[in-house]
Amino acid sequence: MVERCPGCGHDSSGSSKFCSECGGSLQLGATDPRQPAAPSVPPPSEIPLEDAATEVGDLAELPIESAETMDRALAPKGPATGAAGLLAVGQAFGVRYHIIRLLGAGGMGAVYQAWDAELGVSVALKVVKPLASDDAARAQELERRFKRELLLARQVTHANVVRIHDLGEIDGIRYLTMTYVEGTDLSKLLAKGKLPPAQALSIAKQVAFGLRAAHQVGVVHRDLKPANVMIAGDDALIMDFGIARSMSSDTLGSQAGAPSGALGSRAAAVVDAPGTQAGAIVGTLAYMAPEQARGEQVDHRADLYAFGLILYDMLLGPSRLPRDSSAMSELRKRMEQGVPDIRSVDPEIPKAVGRIVSRCLEKDPAARYQKTAELVAELVRLDENGEPLPLVRRLTPRLMVASAVFVIAMLVGTYFLTRRSLEPPKQHEAVSVLIADFQNGTGDPTFDRTLEPMLKLALEGAGFISAYDRSGISRTLGVRPPEKLDERAALEMAVKQGLGVVLSGSVDRQGDGYGVSVKATHAVTGNVIASAENRASSKDQVLGAATKLASEVREALGDDTSDSDKRFAMETLSATSLEVVRDYAAAAQAMSDSRFEEARQSFSKAVAHDPKFGLAYAGMAIASRNLDKQQDAEQFIKEAVRHVDGMTERERYRTRGLFYMVTGDHQQCVKEFGDLIARYAADASARNNLALCLTYLRNMPRALDEMRQVVKILPKRALYRENLALYADYSGDFQIAEQEVRAMQEPGLFGLLALTFSQLGQGQLPQATETLQALGKIDALGASYAASGLGDLALYEGRLSEAARVFAQGAAADLASKDTDRAANKFAALAYTQLLRRQKGAAIEAAERALTNSKAVKIRFLTARVFVEAGAAAKAHTLAAGLASELQAEPQAYAKIVEGEDALKNGDARQAIKALTEANTLLDTWMGHFDLGRAYLEAGGFTQADSEFDRCLKRRGEALALFLDEEPTYGYFPPVYYYQGRVREGLNSAGFAESYRTYLTIRGQSKEDSLLPEVRRRAGG
């Protein structure tokens, strides 16, 4: 007899009541013979679930010994809830929902796509059969547990977890709704075989992020398996937390890491756990942890075991369960013998990945990762192929606003807490704290919104804490705080934003002294985590009193920093004057509001009060860089590095990383921030900066991966989303970039730049023009970028005179604003434009003006390139020699490109190929490949040239801003089609004219492009 499993759709033969594939009951979908037959629906295997963000899973506990009893308990008791096809397409379900289509059905109910009129979106609506039982008390207990566990699951809010929106009952029908996501579940991908390592690791990282978020709020999934992982594009989401349980209420202290198995026999292990039946186990046999199968109490480590099996199957293919075996026998084998080492099956799997899998699959929970954050930290240290992050090569210059705000907040904060070396902090589950406005009962306005930023600094002395005060809420969380951010308002905001803890407090006069009090409250439950108060004998002692209270809050949140280090931090903060505090607070607020000149002045005042305040120099460096004052930025960051001997290890990493970023040594930048993340995995700002430096090294896949993780940590932080959109543009994912910008309520300057780039990449030139015009209305910096973009767009289309005029006017405006570095960018673009106009004298003049205003690496490179083409070889040689003499790989690579262009200009194609190949080894740039293609073309190496130009086309996103500094350079791109046409003509390709026609599509209307007559002739008219 062959029966189809209602849970997984597998056909099982024999007399067993359990599925040989997933171990589920074959009778879960059976109808009660005492009731009328329900309308028939296709089995799950015949109903596509690709469009659902959830599946019909087992939502009740299933003791192996009592499967028949549970079958009876789950059996429907009436026709109203007995039909899997319960709701008809097109019908209204209550006043809120409208059924669009049936997505899938199973023994526990059915899933529909429905329109949620209240939210205004499509949702996945799951109709759940009643958990019936002949035992009224048992039925009531099942109902209570079902509701409790779904409420627990609602606490999990993370980008890699499908969110439960609503649950309730309508017309006697119980339901819940989840986010509707277009995609397919992982089990369907695995049915086709193993996944490529990069895809498997990307999915694994995202699942681990989702698990960390769930475990952080005390929720264990208990049925993690491929069918419960939804794949939507590049995103992976965990779904069906329907049988999840809160560790805080249902475990006996196992969060602390005690092995569950230490409690003894199966019955004894769970008999005292609230809401758990002795001997009951939950989950799918094929992905079940040994302690779970034994009926012992489980915690988050059971999920990590299932995670290990999922990663195992993704890398090897789902072949652990032979067709002639059963899930039960495979489970017993795993419990007795363990899982074969993954590298013994496939030695090609990287050692680091093998170690992660092996640790997850330890039979003893005590031998696995004890914290999900430990697993996440191990995964993020791997590149897309599973190898440890390398000490990356190559470089390029630029610094973004997004790194500016967060880096300085973190750098300056840790400075106040200590100026000496500490042992590396232990990893800890991340904790987010929202700081309410303190009640100032002193009558002294000095304390108005002054203690809050200082408490933020004190709290963030613990590396696992992320704190948000009023000044950072709008910029970081994407919401505007109310004018009165008291404790109640802060609690409401924290719940809405998914933050864990609210810190409130007050400062009052007490005789001739001051009293300071604080209270930390769990946002969701309202439970007070810690409360403390302290007294200061004078006004100058208030900061010290506040620091002591912050130390107590940190300890209550799990900080295990030594007492001596805490005392040192308190002494350091106490010694800081209120003048420095006010200047710092003003600078931080100004940085948050992108008022960089004001921020620089406030940081300068802080340095005047405390000349050893090294991190204020770092703040001045970032503010200067964002004002495009590169030389000032380098001066200030060098001064900051002089004071690293008074910093903690974490501060040293950050300051050196910032130094390398500002000075253009992006190889070392990646190393510093990579090392920082290896020790402080939850540091979002370090991840952002790592992603930034990775773009400079043209490692776009890793940069995007890091940036996606940052956005998932802080999804409403606009600047991080702008970074993600820009990196997507540079990667050539123009539609993704546009989607990211469109999702922002009010895109800022860099958001509009990202939108401009995405429109250019998609050939939407009129729309790009409109976006640039809007950009120009933001502020002076926006106007400068708009001028560069409009001039570059004219250059791209061959409107050369107009481009020259726009660049010249833009440079003049920049000079009037004393923005010499931005003026130099425009003079360099003007020089290239004059070359295309065959105005060599004007080109040389513009190049010299660029050099007069800036000696930045990219300006020296671009002008040297112009000098070569304009016949001023001596000037080019001088600049190339200077670039070659520098320590970093980036200027050395540019020196080689100039050498190659000079050889090509002199007709020595072979020497050009040699120099340009060396350049691309030093730094893999778009321009290096473009010039190498030209060299191969001149040498008659048509196949090699075709490869190079093909690379340029595939990496067209990088041509949008050749130096990845958001300075538009798309005008360099059209000639690729001209040279590709010549190459394919040389290869006697039948379709060579198509490349010429593409060039004509872009510049065919130009009246100044000297290439057009030749292109039209070669294209055949």
Side-chain angles (χ1 to χ4, degrees), residues 435-442 447 450-452 454-455 458 503-511 513-519 531-553 573 578:
I435 303 175
D437 290 341
F438 269 46
Q439 299 178 17
N440 180 7
T442 67
F447 294 108
T450 301
L451 291 184
E452 297 90 326
M454 298 310 299
L455 282 165
L503 184 74
S504 57
S506 64
V507 55
D508 300 284
R509 287 302 301 262
Q510 291 183 356
Y514 295 83
V516 185
S517 65
V518 298
K519 180 173 67 173
S531 62
E533 55 186 42
N534 203 354
R535 190 177 188 279
S537 59
S538 66
K539 183 175 180 178
D540 291 338
Q541 298 300 314
V542 170
L543 292 179
T547 307
K548 292 180 181 179
L549 297 181
S551 177
E552 294 186 36
V553 172
L573 186 55
L578 287 173

Side-chain angles (χ1 to χ4, degrees), residues 95-100 113-125 165-166 175 177-178:
V95 297
R96 178 172 176 177
Y97 302 105
H98 185 87
I99 304 303
I100 298 175
Q113 181 187 358
W115 179 256
D116 185 334
E118 183 172 317
L119 296 180
V121 296
S122 286
V123 295
L125 184 146
H165 296 301
D166 183 35
Y175 73 92
T177 63
M178 299 182 181

Side-chain angles (χ1 to χ4, degrees), residues 449-687:
R449 299 179 182 175
T450 301
L451 291 184
E452 297 90 326
M454 298 310 299
L455 282 165
K456 169 183 168 11
L457 301 181
L459 289 172
E460 289 190 338
F464 63 91
I465 295 177
S466 297
Y468 308 94
D469 64 349
R470 169 180 286 277
S471 66
I473 288 173
S474 177
R475 194 70 170 176
T476 304
L477 301 180
V479 294
R480 184 175 297 279
E483 180 60 30
K484 184 180 180 181
L485 188 62
D486 57 13
E487 180 183 1
R488 181 172 181 176
L491 285 169
E492 292 177 357
M493 177 173 286
V495 170
K496 290 179 181 178
Q497 296 300 317
L499 304 180
V501 177
V502 165
L503 184 74
S504 57
S506 64
V507 55
D508 300 284
R509 287 302 301 262
Q510 291 183 356
D512 58 353
Y514 295 83
V516 185
S517 65
V518 298
K519 180 173 67 173
T521 307
H522 189 273
V524 174
T525 66
N527 296 332
V528 176
I529 301 170
S531 62
E533 55 186 42
N534 203 354
R535 190 177 188 279
S537 59
S538 66
K539 183 175 180 178
D540 291 338
Q541 298 300 314
V542 170
L543 292 179
T547 307
K548 292 180 181 179
L549 297 181
S551 177
E552 294 186 36
V553 172
R554 281 168 49 177
E555 186 173 343
L557 294 176
D559 183 25
D560 56 3
T561 305
S562 69
D563 290 340
S564 61
D565 287 332
K566 290 178 182 176
R567 284 196 300 273
F568 185 83
M570 288 186 285
E571 293 167 1
T572 301
L573 186 55
S574 300
T576 304
S577 70
L578 287 173
E579 287 78 10
V580 173
V581 171
R582 283 199 300 270
D583 292 334
Y584 161 71
Q589 183 64 58
M591 288 289 283
S592 180
D593 294 338
S594 298
R595 302 193 308 271
F596 302 120
E597 184 57 49
E598 183 180 332
R600 192 165 82 149
Q601 292 174 5
S602 294
F603 281 128
S604 179
K605 291 178 182 178
V607 169
H609 292 303
D610 184 357
K612 295 183 179 180
F613 188 13
L615 297 180
Y617 291 110
M620 295 166 70
I622 291 178
S624 298
R625 185 61 184 86
N626 286 319
L627 290 167
D628 291 299
K629 300 180 184 297
Q630 177 66 21
Q631 295 174 15
D632 288 350
E634 292 186 11
Q635 173 190 340
F636 290 133
I637 196 59
K638 289 175 182 176
E639 185 65 25
V641 171
R642 289 185 57 233
H643 300 284
V644 294
D645 57 344
M647 300 178 187
T648 66
E649 178 185 62
R650 194 171 188 177
E651 291 169 340
R652 291 198 300 272
Y653 277 129
R654 287 178 177 145
T655 304
R656 287 193 300 259
L658 184 58
F659 172 83
Y660 296 132
M661 188 182 292
V662 171
T663 58
D665 190 346
H666 302 300
Q667 288 175 316
Q668 286 297 320
C669 176
V670 167
K671 182 181 183 300
E672 285 296 320
F673 286 116
D675 288 347
L676 192 159
I677 290 171
R679 292 180 178 270
Y680 307 96
D683 195 323
S685 67
R687 290 192 181 282

Side-chain angles (χ1 to χ4, degrees), residues 4 6 41 89 180 197 215 266 298 312 329 409 454 459 475 582 590 613 623 660 688 780 785 826 874 880 888:
R4 173 161 289 179
V41 295
V89 172
Y180 176 82
H215 296 165
R266 172 167 54 182
V298 300
Y312 194 97
S329 63
M454 298 310 299
L459 289 172
R475 194 70 170 176
R582 283 199 300 270
F613 188 13
Y660 296 132
N688 178 68
Y785 270 116
K826 294 179 179 63
Q888 293 82 22

Side-chain angles (χ1 to χ4, degrees), residues 687-763:
R687 290 192 181 282
N688 178 68
N689 295 331
L690 174 59
L692 178 64
C693 290
L694 285 167
T695 66
Y696 293 140
L697 297 176
R698 278 59 174 185
N699 194 334
M700 298 304 172
R702 275 187 58 200
L704 273 175
D705 185 56
E706 287 293 341
M707 207 64 236
R708 287 189 182 106
Q709 305 313 321
V710 174
V711 168
K712 286 171 184 175
I713 294 170
L714 292 173
K716 296 187 178 181
R717 181 172 170 78
L719 286 176
Y720 286 160
R721 285 200 171 274
E722 290 175 346
N723 263 6
L724 177 58
L726 284 166
Y727 300 166
D729 279 325
Y730 297 152
S731 298
D733 294 333
F734 306 121
Q735 292 181 341
I736 297 297
E738 182 173 2
Q739 290 172 13
E740 288 293 335
V741 178
R742 299 293 187 193
M744 302 176 194
Q745 290 185 351
E746 296 182 8
L749 186 152
F750 291 104
L752 290 178
L753 269 174
L755 180 59
T756 299
F757 288 158
S758 70
Q759 290 166 336
L760 288 173
Q762 296 176 79

Side-chain angles (χ1 to χ4, degrees), residues 195-264:
L195 305 183
Q199 183 182 13
L201 285 171
S202 175
I203 292 172
K205 289 177 182 179
Q206 295 182 68
V207 171
F209 289 134
L211 284 178
R212 181 178 61 180
H215 296 165
Q216 184 175 318
V217 296
V219 176
V220 183
H221 193 292
R222 296 195 303 167
D223 192 25
L224 188 64
K225 57 186 176 183
N228 280 339
V229 177
M230 170 65 70
I231 307 300
D234 293 330
D235 296 328
L237 301 88
I238 306 173
M239 56 189 181
D240 243 347
F241 272 86
I243 64 171
R245 165 170 300 158
S246 169
M247 292 184 290
S248 61
S249 64
D250 283 359
T251 63
L252 304 175
S254 61
Q255 285 188 74
S260 302
L263 295 174

